[in-house]
Amino acid sequence: MTPFPCQPQNTSFFQLLKQTPQLDGRDSRGKYHCIALVITGLTLALCCGRDGNLSSLHRHMANHFDDLCRVLQLTNQRVVSRPQLPRLLAKVNGIVFADLLFQRFGLVLTLQQQAWFALDGKELRGSIEPANKRGQACVSVVAHRGEAIAGQAYYNGTKESERPVATQLLADTGMHNQKITLDALHLIPLTIKTIHEKGGLYLVGLKANQQILYRPWVGSSSVKVADYDRADKPERGHGRIAQRSYSCFAMNRHPLALRWQTSGMQTLVRVVRVRQSLAGLELSRETSYFVSNALVNQQGQADELFDAVRQHWRIETMHHRQDVSLSEDRFRSSQAAVSRLLSSLRSIVLNVLGQDKVKNMVARMEEFADKFHVLLQFMTLKNVL
């Protein structure tokens, strides 16, 4: 099932930002710049491929400021200075902005039409200080179909853990009742129990460090005869041939440990990936395991889980676009609020271009850079301006 994009509204996103006083954390005295105008200008700069450097973003915003004000029918506005820009961005209420963003550019979710989503975290590498190994990090929920970003939350990787942030994100976005794929980091009773109790489905990676779950299954006779299986066709690419085979097993053959008994765990999925050279020489063989609360009674239900395993990597495709197309990793800032806000603005760009089903995102962004009036028309059509 494909989730539906939020329906367009009469008020543009710019007007929505302008009409939300909680967004602006500045003192009411001396507000010389419209914060909604600055955010909109940065979004357009990102659409033109000017990411990776705040000075480059500012130059684009300044160079096209008059054109943007003309479209928005604004007068007596002036461009924020480069030194003032990060100070202004740091005053944006990130929580309020994220709520506005996903209300407008997110997805409509219903319990009756559940869809598959992938959840994973990503380091904002440009925020890592020289003396640290970690910096600001972003947890995203991405639709398997269409790769639309349905929700995001941020945390400080040097002080906080991804697990509680992910659990809270699912609760805040109301996604506990959807179908969620997660990596093995999130195989904890609290997360999967909540999804199960809310009527959702989970498919979570299982690794050897979860010994209580892993040992009774891997290497035992329980995984020798599968209830359902499937072998995909070999795929040729990158100078090699890869083939995946899937198997699933009912988890009623061994009693679950007490801490897992309320999680609704029903099914174990095994994935074997074999890579061969074009000459037929085996290069590698990887075996992965996943657990789910989905009850599998027929091949179609098993195939849905097998497909979900493969589609989980949609979120890595989204991360690749952020890093390569939008140069997220090259954007350096010592201010957490600025890094987080720019990450949220990239979500607008990805979701808006994704709704337009753009095949070559880089080519589209280059067109916007060469023909700014085309970008203004596009964003007006998408009700951003």
Side-chain angles (χ1 to χ4, degrees):
M1 180 64 64
T2 304
F4 298 100
C6 291
Q7 296 301 309
Q9 302 177 26
N10 293 328
T11 304
S12 70
F13 188 60
F14 168 75
Q15 290 295 337
L16 182 63
L17 296 177
K18 196 174 179 181
Q19 295 168 9
T20 308
Q22 302 91 337
L23 181 69
D24 193 344
R26 293 177 294 174
D27 189 281
S28 57
R29 297 167 295 177
K31 290 184 179 180
Y32 297 110
H33 304 286
C34 173
I35 206 164
L37 181 60
V38 174
I39 291 173
T40 304
L42 287 175
T43 304
L44 298 185
L46 290 172
C47 287
C48 293
R50 297 295 286 267
D51 201 355
N53 186 289
L54 191 58
S55 294
S56 178
L57 290 167
H58 177 263
R59 283 193 295 271
H60 183 279
M61 184 168 56
N63 293 339
H64 298 281
F65 188 75
D66 291 341
D67 292 334
L68 177 58
C69 289
R70 191 177 304 114
V71 171
L72 295 174
Q73 299 180 354
L74 298 177
T75 57
N76 300 323
Q77 300 292 325
R78 57 182 180 178
V79 184
V80 62
S81 68
R82 171 60 181 85
Q84 183 68 18
L85 180 58
R87 292 195 284 269
L88 186 147
L89 296 179
K91 294 296 184 179
V92 176
N93 188 319
I95 297 176
V96 173
F97 180 73
D99 288 342
L100 296 174
L101 191 162
F102 291 107
Q103 286 174 17
R104 179 56 64 93
F105 301 107
L107 301 170
V108 177
L109 308 175
T110 66
L111 182 59
Q112 293 75 22
Q113 296 177 320
Q114 290 177 311
W116 280 103
F117 295 86
L119 182 147
D120 197 11
K122 177 186 180 298
E123 201 88 35
L124 303 180
R125 294 176 184 171
S127 67
I128 301 176
E129 297 289 339
N132 296 328
K133 294 183 178 180
R134 300 203 62 189
Q136 299 300 310
C138 175
V139 181
S140 302
V141 181
V142 176
H144 282 199
R145 292 190 179 183
E147 298 176 18
I149 304 171
Q152 285 182 324
Y154 299 91
Y155 67 98
N156 186 337
T158 62
K159 301 178 181 179
E160 301 170 280
S161 168
E162 182 178 314
R163 286 174 169 175
V165 176
T167 302
Q168 188 62 46
L169 174 61
L170 291 176
D172 291 344
T173 55
M175 300 195 70
H176 277 130
N177 59 9
Q178 299 297 308
K179 302 175 181 179
I180 310 293
T181 57
L182 310 101
D183 61 27
L185 174 67
H186 300 285
L187 184 56
I188 56 174
L190 175 62
T191 300
I192 64 174
K193 175 186 175 182
T194 305
I195 295 173
H196 178 67
E197 290 179 345
K198 295 292 184 179
L201 293 180
Y202 60 78
L203 182 64
V204 194
L206 170 63
K207 292 189 174 180
N209 59 355
Q210 289 279 8
Q211 296 183 13
I212 296 177
L213 277 175
Y214 192 85
R215 283 183 176 177
W217 291 95
V218 179
S220 71
S221 58
S222 301
V223 294
K224 290 185 177 180
V225 181
D227 297 315
Y228 301 93
D229 53 27
R230 188 183 82 191
D232 287 350
K233 294 181 180 179
E235 297 178 353
R236 181 187 295 257
H238 305 288
R240 59 179 181 263
I241 300 172
Q243 184 174 24
R244 295 172 178 81
S245 58
Y246 305 86
S247 306
C248 73
F249 311 84
M251 295 186 71
N252 56 8
R253 300 165 192 171
H254 297 286
L256 292 173
L258 181 62
R259 69 192 299 255
W260 300 107
Q261 288 180 2
T262 58
S263 65
M265 211 173 285
Q266 299 270 10
T267 303
L268 176 77
V269 176
R270 180 180 64 196
V271 183
V272 179
R273 182 181 182 185
V274 179
R275 293 189 182 93
Q276 295 180 329
S277 66
L278 297 180
L281 178 66
E282 183 172 313
L283 302 176
S284 65
R285 179 182 293 266
E286 300 174 359
T287 303
S288 304
Y289 294 90
F290 302 83
V291 293
S292 176
N293 63 332
L295 181 61
V296 177
N297 291 319
Q298 56 187 10
Q299 184 65 44
Q301 295 170 331
D303 287 339
E304 182 181 3
L305 292 182
F306 300 158
D307 291 339
V309 170
R310 183 70 189 276
Q311 294 300 317
H312 178 73
W313 299 108
R314 289 284 186 178
I315 197 167
E316 297 300 334
T317 303
M318 184 272 292
H319 288 162
H320 178 78
R321 287 178 174 173
Q322 288 177 321
D323 293 340
V324 177
S325 301
L326 296 173
S327 305
E328 181 171 79
D329 282 349
R330 290 198 295 111
F331 181 84
R332 301 197 61 82
S333 176
S334 59
Q335 299 187 55
V338 175
S339 295
R340 294 180 178 190
L341 178 63
L342 266 294
S343 177
S344 295
L345 294 181
R346 294 182 192 99
S347 300
I348 295 178
V349 175
L350 292 176
N351 276 12
V352 170
L353 292 179
Q355 290 175 12
D356 208 40
K357 302 188 184 302
V358 175
K359 293 183 178 180
N360 190 329
M361 184 174 294
V362 174
R364 186 64 160 153
M365 292 166 64
E366 289 176 350
E367 180 187 10
F368 289 153
D370 294 337
K371 304 174 183 178
F372 189 67
H373 67 280
V374 174
L375 174 58
L376 293 175
Q377 293 170 359
F378 176 80
M379 286 301 194
T380 302
L381 183 64
K382 293 298 181 181
N383 215 16
V384 176
L385 303 181

